[in-house]
Amino acid sequence: VDVEDLLGRDAVNLDNSGLKKLIQNDIVMISGAGGSIGSELTRQVLKFKPKTIFCVDISEAALYQLEQSIHRQSKTKIFFVVADIKNEKRITDLFHRHIPSLVFHAAAYKHVPLLENMNVHQVLHNNVMGTFSLASSCKENNVKKFILISTDKAVNPTNVMGASKRMAEMVCEGLQEDKGTNFVIVRFGNVLGSSGSVIPLFKKQIIDGGPVTVTDKNIIRYFMTVTEAVE
């Protein structure tokens, strides 16, 4: 059984023709590039032949896995940068050396039970102040577009992950002006197979012989594949 079999519908393929003009021969930065969303972003962005991609992540191990998974057949230069988005000096230095045209901000903490158990300060610091730090650098350096990867949990938030992502959205809304960087927000649903999603957990529980833990029978989840989400 593949993850896609659980969708209950055919996967959606979007028209990406306009993206070539946006990405080709430009410099692109992806934060949280080592994660499931960030790594898929990297692979899809590569198809449109940017000049350079900066893959930024706080996890050296995640970046190493991404580096090993990418087949370097294109002329695009790819740099794997170990950096914390909350480290303003590190981010400022990166921008001074290489000003990107396009920034995809996927770096975030999102494991709800873990975050709400003695880690609330850290998730707010990372998801809100990290977004502010990165978005401010984009604005100061006249980056064309800053795309925040948000979540449907930001709608009427019921947990710290959703609340912190809504605050991150408000940060971008507050920084937006008539001129300069264009701040864009996209909300994902439950991405099947992404790190921290319920499907890998369910698969492990089934392999272990159960039980399969369902948080609440009344929960409504809106599923999409990682490819659909990134498109």
Side-chain angles (χ1 to χ4, degrees):
V1 177
D2 291 324
V3 163
E4 288 74 13
D5 296 331
L6 302 173
L7 270 180
R9 59 174 173 80
D10 291 333
V12 176
N13 293 308
L14 301 182
D15 179 6
N16 292 330
S17 55
L19 289 176
K20 188 173 182 180
K21 185 188 295 184
L22 180 69
I23 295 173
Q24 192 172 32
N25 296 322
D26 271 337
I27 298 174
V28 178
M29 179 182 288
I30 300 171
S31 78
S36 48
I37 301 297
S39 57
E40 178 64 18
L41 263 170
T42 303
R43 283 186 277 271
Q44 289 203 30
V45 165
L46 266 173
K47 296 177 184 176
F48 299 100
K49 300 178 181 178
K51 179 182 177 183
T52 308
I53 298 180
F54 288 93
C55 298
V56 179
D57 203 291
I58 196 172
S59 169
E60 177 216 21
L63 281 179
Y64 175 75
Q65 288 182 337
L66 176 63
E67 182 185 31
Q68 296 303 303
S69 71
I70 289 177
H71 303 292
R72 297 171 181 251
Q73 296 171 339
S74 69
K75 295 180 181 178
T76 300
K77 293 180 181 177
I78 309 174
F79 295 97
F80 299 92
V81 183
V82 179
D84 183 349
I85 57 170
K86 303 184 295 297
N87 185 335
E88 292 183 23
K89 188 176 185 303
R90 175 76 163 139
I91 296 301
T92 299
D93 182 58
L94 267 176
F95 274 87
H96 283 174
R97 291 167 181 262
H98 315 276
I99 299 176
S101 300
L102 189 61
V103 172
F104 291 96
H105 178 37
Y109 291 151
K110 62 181 185 180
H111 299 280
V112 175
L114 186 152
L115 295 174
E116 295 194 337
N117 183 16
M118 298 184 69
N119 293 301
V120 171
H121 174 271
Q122 285 303 304
V123 68
L124 291 172
H125 189 204
N126 188 76
N127 292 5
V128 182
M129 297 310 298
T131 298
F132 179 70
S133 173
L134 190 59
S136 296
S137 290
C138 288
K139 187 173 179 178
E140 290 165 10
N141 290 280
N142 289 314
V143 171
K144 289 180 186 176
K145 281 185 185 290
F146 177 94
I147 293 102
L148 170 66
I149 309 299
S150 189
T151 170
D152 59 358
K153 314 302 181 296
V155 184
N156 300 322
T158 58
N159 57 56
V160 69
M161 194 272 274
S164 66
K165 279 298 203 175
R166 178 64 191 124
M167 291 173 73
E169 292 179 356
M170 294 167 75
V171 164
C172 294
E173 291 167 0
L175 289 171
Q176 181 68 68
E177 293 182 347
D178 293 338
K179 296 180 180 179
T181 303
N182 182 205
F183 291 92
V184 182
I185 299 163
V186 57
R187 287 171 172 167
F188 287 3
N190 284 81
V191 180
L192 285 171
S194 66
S195 61
S197 72
V198 294
I199 301 302
L201 173 62
F202 287 171
K203 287 173 76 172
K204 183 180 184 303
Q205 289 174 338
I206 290 167
I207 290 169
D208 292 343
V212 175
T213 56
V214 178
T215 310
D216 191 305
K217 65 181 180 180
N218 293 319
I219 280 184
I220 298 172
R221 298 184 187 271
Y222 299 95
F223 286 115
M224 54 179 70
T225 67
V226 66
T227 305
E228 286 178 322
V230 170
E231 281 185 348

